[in-house]
Amino acid sequence: MSALPTPPYYAVIFTSQRTPADDDGYGDAADRMVALAFEQPGYLGVESARGEDGLGITVSYWRSPEDIAAWRRNAEHKIARDSGRSDWYQHYTLRVAKVERAYAWAREDGLKDPQA
Amino acid sequence: MSALPTPPYYAVIFTSQRTPADDDGYGDAADRMVALAFEQPGYLGVESARGEDGLGITVSYWRSPEDIAAWRRNAEHKIARDSGRSDWYQHYTLRVAKVERAYAWAREDGLKDPQA
């Protein structure tokens, strides 16, 4: 994500292994979930990477556990999760974690530490 | 990581954008850091993914903030971080977060929740 909010805030760490099956709408659904999350209260951003081996990590950031719980109850998000289990994922792990420290470094800007 | 420890424990979320430069020893150093982390007290595991766009996410898991601080002081790890800033990364963000909830799902095993 572009901004660097000052902790504390929350991270949802979603690690997943894709099935070897064809895309089956996965890419569209993933894009849609990012767009939908963007509209939710307390949403702070998302980062996502998937390697050629099919292992992916998506980390979304939220203001509070209540915001995460509300996103979890979103009806369209529920449907996407069902498709994940029926079609797209071999296995996944989900962790909810409270971000206590955060800093960023960039070649052009050096270190940025909102808590310093 | 293969095991699913019972929370609480800690996650270091490292998001990075690689420089377009050649590998310059990056792959070897990354492998070496994983092997070295494995030997550290309190190390619980690591997950890593990098997409074709060069954006990567590595999440390492630790028993306590003290274990993370000790890993940060490791001399060989310090040298690798210096090379990261001088050669390998365009920018990166590092977050330390306390994992409060964790569960896993697998196609063959269903849901696994160590806190349930």
Side-chain angles (χ1 to χ4, degrees), chain B residues 20-88:
Chain B
D22 285 341
D23 190 274
D24 277 333
Y26 173 75
D28 288 347
D31 291 348
R32 172 65 185 150
M33 286 306 109
V34 170
L36 194 60
F38 189 82
E39 300 171 3
Q40 305 307 307
Y43 174 79
L44 298 176
V46 68
E47 293 162 337
S48 198
R50 188 173 300 278
E52 288 176 9
D53 58 358
L55 182 79
I57 302 177
T58 296
V59 190
S60 61
Y61 298 98
W62 303 84
R63 185 52 62 196
S64 74
E66 292 72 26
D67 294 325
I68 296 170
W71 170 231
R72 199 176 153 74
R73 288 192 299 269
N74 178 283
E76 199 177 338
H77 184 203
K78 275 189 182 179
I79 292 169
R81 292 203 304 275
D82 287 345
S83 294
R85 284 187 291 266
S86 63
D87 297 329
W88 298 324

Side-chain angles (χ1 to χ4, degrees), chain A residues 19-63:
Chain A
T19 47
D22 285 341
D23 189 274
D24 277 332
Y26 172 75
D28 288 347
D31 291 347
R32 172 66 185 148
M33 286 306 108
V34 169
L36 193 60
F38 190 83
E39 300 171 2
Q40 305 306 308
Y43 174 79
L44 298 176
V46 68
E47 293 162 337
S48 197
R50 188 173 301 278
E52 288 176 9
D53 58 358
L55 183 78
I57 302 177
T58 297
V59 190
S60 62
Y61 298 98
W62 303 84
R63 186 51 62 195

